[in-house]
C-alpha cells in the first residue's frame, strides 16, 4: 500500500476502533451491563434501575473523560515534539503536571479537600501558575519568543521544585498523602459529568488553538531562519503552540491526574502513517490518544479480579515497553 | 539607476563585539552580487540583515524606499526569499511538500491553497530540473538535488530578490558549478536580484556581476570582479599571497594561491 493510501485509511480506522472501545467501556466493568439496558439507559432512562444509574452517573462521564483527556494529551504531545524538534519531548516537560500536583496537595492540606471534584480547581490553578512561570523563564517575554530549549529546561527545573514542595507538604500532612497517592496515579474513575463540564471550556479553547498551532508550525520544520524568511512570526507561533499545550494538559491533569506516556508515545505511533506533515500528525495523535486512553481505562477493569487498575497505571505498563520496542525497531520517521 | 535594496549606515553588534560597522551600500538590482571575505568577517550576518532576520544595532536596510523593519513580515517575504545556510528539512519530507512551503507568505487561514499556487510550485520544480521528483523523499536525493529542491522552494516564494547563504556548502565541485549555473540562469531568466555569500573567490568571480568584499566589519571593495580582483586585493581581503591570472575560458581573473 502506498503511503498516501495508508495515511488516508488510518484516520477512519483509528476513529472506528476508538468508538468501538468507547461502546465496550459502557458495557463492561465491575458490573456488566447488558446491551439492551445500555440502549434503555440512554434513551429510556429509568431512575430506579441500578444499571441505568451506573451507566449514566459513572460510565458515560468516565468514557467521555477518557476520550477527551486522551485526545488532548496525544495532541499536546504531537505539538511539543514538533515545536521542540525533540522526539522525547512530552507535554509534562512544561511543568504543568508538577504545578497541578502542588495545587492539589496544598488544597488538601490547607482547605481539607478530599473529594475528587474539589481537586479540579486547585489543580487547574496550580497548572496555570506553573505554565506562566515556565513561559516567563522560558523567554516568552523575549522579543524572539520562547526558546524551545529554554522552555524545556525551565519546565524541568520548576517540576523539580514543585516536586520538592509537594513532598514537603506530604510529609507534614497525612491526609494529603492519602488523597494524593491515589490522585497521582492518574485515571478516569469516578469522574462525574459535572466535572467534565467544568473543564470543558478550557478544552473548547485548547483544541481549536492546538489545531491552529499545528498548521502554523509547518514552516518551522525547515528551521527558524527559513521560517522567518517565509514571513512566519516565529515567536507568535511558539506562543500559540505553548498556550495550546498548557490549556490541553492543564485541563486533563485537573480532571484525571497526571497521565504519563500518552503525549510521548502516541506521536511516535502515528508518524509512520502521516509522514512529516504536522497537521496530519496532530489529527492522528488526537484520535490515537483518545483510543489509547479509552483502551487503558477499559483494560484496567479486567487486569485484577474484583477491582480496577487506574488508567494511568495501565498506560505506563503499555507505554514503557512500547517505547523500548519503537526505539529498537527505529521504525519511526525521524524528526 | 535606482536600487530596490540598499543599506544605510548599517551596524550590528553582539554585546561588545562589533560585526558590521557603518555599512552603506546599494545592492544592484537585476544582478548577481556575491559577498566574499575571510571567515567570521560578517558575511552571513550582512546577508541575514538584508533578509530581516537580524535587527541592526544602528542604521537600516531599505527595501523599496522604506526601512525593512518597519514593513510587514509577510510583505517582505513576498519580495525577498532566503535560502539559509542552516537549511535543514526532515529526510522524510517529499520534494513537493518542501517546495509548497514557499507559498507560505502568500497564504492565510482564509486564503487557502489554490490552483495558481499549484502551478507556481510545479513551475518552480520544473525550473530547477526536478520534474518527476515531486514524490521523492529529500533523504533519497543527492546533495545537489536537495539544494535544487531548496532553490525551488525559494522560487515558489515568487519574490524578485533571492538571498543565498553559502549555497554550495557540502557539494562537490561538479555540483557547485551546477548550482551556481542554475542560479545564474534563473537570475537572467526572471531578472532576479541575487545576493549570495560564497567562500570560493574563483566561483564568486565567475558567477557574479558584483563582488562585495568585507574586512574588519566594513566593505573593503565593491565592484565588478574584473575590476576589483587583484593580487593586492586578495592580500588585503584574505591575507593571502597569490597570483592572479586570466581564466583561460572566460578571461576573468583567477586566483592561484602561492
Amino acid at each position: 500500500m502506498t503511503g498516501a493510501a495508508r495515511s488516508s485509511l488510518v484516520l477512519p480506522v483509528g476513529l472506528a476502533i476508538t468508538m468501538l472501545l468507547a461502546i465496550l467501556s459502557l458495557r463492561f466493568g465491575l458490573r456488566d451491563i447488558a446491551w439492551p439496558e445500555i440502549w434503555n439507559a440512554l434513551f429510556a432512562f429509568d431512575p430506579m434501575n441500578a444499571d441505568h444509574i451506573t451507566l449514566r452517573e459513572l460510565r458515560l462521564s468516565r468514557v467521555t473523560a477518557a476520550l477527551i483527556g486522551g485526545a488532548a494529551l496525544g495532541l499536546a504531545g504531537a505539538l511539543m515534539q514538533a515545536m521542540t524538534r525533540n522526539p522525547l519531548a512530552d507535554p509534562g516537560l512544561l511543568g504543568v503536571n508538577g504545578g497541578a500536583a502542588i495545587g492539589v496537595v496544598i488544597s488538601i492540606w490547607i482547605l481539607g479537600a478530599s473529594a475528587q471534584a474539589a481537586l479540579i480547581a486547585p489543580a487547574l490553578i496550580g497548572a496555570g501558575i506553573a505554565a506562566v512561570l515556565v513561559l516567563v523563564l522560558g523567554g516568552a517575554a523575549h522579543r524572539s519568543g520562547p526558546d524551545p530549549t529554554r522552555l524545556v529546561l525551565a519546565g524541568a527545573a520548576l517540576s523539580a521544585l514543585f516536586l520538592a514542595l509537594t513532598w514537603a507538604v506530604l510529609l507534614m500532612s497525612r491526609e494529603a498523602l492519602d488523597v494524593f497517592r491515589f490522585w497521582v496515579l492518574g485515571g478516569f474513575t469516578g469522574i462525574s459529568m459535572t466535572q467534565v463540564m467544568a473543564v470543558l471550556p478550557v478544552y473548547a479553547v485548547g483544541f481549536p488553538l492546538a489545531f491552529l498551532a499545528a498548521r502554523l508550525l509547518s514552516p518551522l520544520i525547515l528551521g527558524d531562519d527559513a521560517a522567518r524568511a517565509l514571513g512566519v512570526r516565529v515567536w507568535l507561533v511558539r506562543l500559540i503552540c505553548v498556550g495550546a499545550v498548557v490549556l490541553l494538559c492543564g485541563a486533563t491533569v485537573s480532571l484525571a491526574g497526571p497521565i504519563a506516556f500518552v503525549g510521548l508515545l502516541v506521536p511516535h505511533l502515528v508518524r509512520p502513517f502521516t509522514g512529516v506533515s504536522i497537521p496530519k500528525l496532530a489529527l492522528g495523535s488526537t484520535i490515537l490518544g483518545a483510543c489509547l486512553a479509552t483502551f487503558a481505562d477499559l483494560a484496567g477493569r479486567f487486569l485484577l479480579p474484583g477491582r480496577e487498575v487506574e488508567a494511568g497505571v495501565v498506560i505506563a505498563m503499555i507505554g514503557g515497553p512500547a517505547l523500548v520496542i519503537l526505539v529498537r525497531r527505529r521504525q519511526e520517521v525521524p524528526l | 539607476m535606482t536600487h530596490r535594496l540598499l543599506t544605510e549606515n548599517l551596524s550590528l553588534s553582539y554585546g561588545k563585539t562589533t560585526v558590521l560597522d557603518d555599512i552603506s551600500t546599494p545592492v544592484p538590482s537585476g544582478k548577481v552580487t556575491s559577498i566574499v571575505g575571510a571567515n567570521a568577517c560578517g558575511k552571513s550576518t550582512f546577508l541575514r540583515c538584508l533578509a530581516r532576520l537580524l535587527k541592526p544595532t544602528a542604521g537600516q536596510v531599505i527595501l523599496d524606499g522604506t526601512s525593512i523593519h518597519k514593513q510587514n513580515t509577510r510583505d517582505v517575504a513576498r519580495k525577498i526569499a532566503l535560502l539559509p545556510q542552516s537549511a535543514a528539512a526532515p529526510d522524510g519530507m517529499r520534494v513537493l511538500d518542501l517546495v509548497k512551503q514557499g507559498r507560505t507568505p502568500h497564504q492565510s487561514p482564509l486564503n487557502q491553497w489554490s490552483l495558481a499556487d499549484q502551478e507556481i510550485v510545479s513551475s518552480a520544480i520544473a525550473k530547477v530540473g526536478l520534474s518527476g521528483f515531486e514524490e521523492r523523499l529529500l533523504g533519497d536525493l543527492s546533495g545537489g538535488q536537495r539544494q535544487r529542491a531548496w532553490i525551488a522552494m525559494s522560487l515558489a516564494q515568487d519574490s524578485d530578490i533571492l538571498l543565498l547563504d553559502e549555497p554550495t556548502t557540502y557539494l562537490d565541485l561538479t555540483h557547485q558549478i551546477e548550482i551556481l549555473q542554475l542560479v545564474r540562469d534563473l537570475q537572467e531568466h526572471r531578472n532576479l536580484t541575487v545576493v549570495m555569500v560564497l567562500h570560493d573567490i574563483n566561483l564568486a568571480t565567475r558567477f557574479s556581476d558584483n563582488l562585495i568584499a568585507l574586512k574588519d566589519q566594513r566593505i573593503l571593495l565593491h565592484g565588478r570582479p574584473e575590476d576589483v580582483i587583484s593580487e593586492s586585493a586578495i592580500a588585503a581581503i584574505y591575507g593571502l599571497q597569490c597570483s592572479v591570472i586570466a581564466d583561460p575560458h572566460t578571461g576573468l581573473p583567477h586566483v592561484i594561491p602561492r
Side-chain angles (χ1 to χ4, degrees), chain B residues 1-10 23-35 46 50 60-63 161 193-195 210-213 219 221-223:
Chain B
M1 170 168 186
T2 59
H3 299 287
R4 294 188 57 198
L5 187 62
L6 51 103
T7 67
E8 277 181 2
N9 310 106
L10 182 71
I23 293 182
S24 299
T25 184
V27 173
S29 294
K31 305 275 188 207
V32 174
T33 302
S34 287
I35 305 167
F46 183 62
L50 292 182
Q60 51 193 350
V61 176
I62 308 276
L63 173 66
I161 301 171
T193 301
V194 173
V195 184
N210 273 283
L211 293 183
I212 293 178
I219 293 184
L221 297 163
H222 184 185

Side-chain angles (χ1 to χ4, degrees), chain A:
Chain A
M1 211 188 299
T2 67
R6 270 204 307 185
S7 73
S8 64
L9 211 64
V10 70
L11 292 184
V13 169
L15 212 52
I17 296 174
T18 309
M19 283 300 119
L20 184 70
L21 287 169
I23 292 167
L24 292 175
S25 296
L26 295 177
R27 167 92 168 76
F28 297 106
L30 287 181
R31 174 196 186 98
D32 291 353
I33 302 175
W35 292 117
E37 288 308 311
I38 293 175
W39 182 265
N40 288 338
L42 291 175
F43 300 105
F45 182 61
D46 172 6
M48 303 303 285
N49 185 318
D51 278 352
H52 289 197
I53 292 167
T54 304
L55 190 122
R56 280 230 165 173
E57 301 290 316
L58 298 173
R59 299 257 168 97
L60 203 56
S61 51
R62 181 173 171 177
V63 72
T64 310
L67 286 170
I68 301 180
L73 292 176
L75 178 56
L79 287 184
M80 275 299 286
Q81 291 181 7
M83 183 186 72
T84 58
R85 295 187 200 111
N86 180 349
L88 289 178
D90 174 276
L93 285 178
L94 288 181
V96 175
N97 291 347
I102 186 81
V104 164
V105 293
I106 289 178
S107 75
I108 303 167
W109 178 43
I110 296 178
L111 306 173
S114 62
Q116 201 174 7
L119 300 181
I120 287 192
L124 203 54
I125 293 168
I129 291 173
V132 170
L133 282 175
V134 168
L135 274 172
V136 170
L137 291 173
H142 197 260
R143 205 176 52 83
S144 59
D147 170 55
T149 315
R150 273 184 67 177
L151 268 180
V152 171
L153 283 175
L158 277 173
S159 293
L161 177 67
F162 287 142
L163 189 66
L165 291 174
T166 303
W167 279 108
V169 174
L170 291 177
L171 284 175
M172 285 185 282
S173 158
R174 204 192 150 78
E175 309 82 68
L177 182 62
D178 283 340
V179 181
F180 180 78
R181 69 195 175 113
F182 185 73
W183 179 86
V184 79
L185 292 176
F188 305 101
T189 39
I191 295 175
S192 74
M193 216 35 128
T194 324
Q195 289 167 273
V196 175
M197 288 302 157
V199 294
L200 211 54
V202 185
Y203 284 126
V205 180
F207 274 103
L209 205 61
F211 282 111
L212 175 69
R215 278 189 67 99
L216 295 174
L217 270 174
S218 290
L220 262 71
I221 50 178
L222 305 183
D224 286 8
D225 278 0
R228 280 201 194 97
L230 288 169
V232 175
R233 291 176 190 85
V234 173
W235 64 272
L236 184 62
V237 173
R238 292 232 170 89
L239 210 55
I240 292 174
C241 188
V242 175
V245 169
V246 162
L247 289 176
L248 291 177
C249 295
T252 308
V253 70
S254 313
L255 194 61
I259 293 178
F261 273 116
V262 176
L264 180 61
L265 181 66
V266 161
H268 288 277
L269 298 175
V270 173
R271 227 174 255 121
F273 297 99
T274 58
V276 294
S277 159
I278 295 175
K280 279 186 198 165
L281 177 70
L283 190 58
S285 299
T286 307
I287 293 172
L288 196 69
C291 187
L292 182 61
T294 315
F295 173 75
D297 186 47
L298 181 61
R301 302 174 199 181
F302 297 105
L303 287 179
L304 293 179
R307 59 167 303 175
E308 299 194 352
V309 180
E310 287 283 320
V313 179
V314 179
I315 289 170
M317 287 194 304
I318 302 170
L323 207 61
V324 171
I325 291 169
L326 270 178
V327 172
R328 298 274 304 177
R329 287 183 58 197
R330 284 233 152 257
Q331 281 281 317
E332 81 274 38
V333 176
L335 288 176

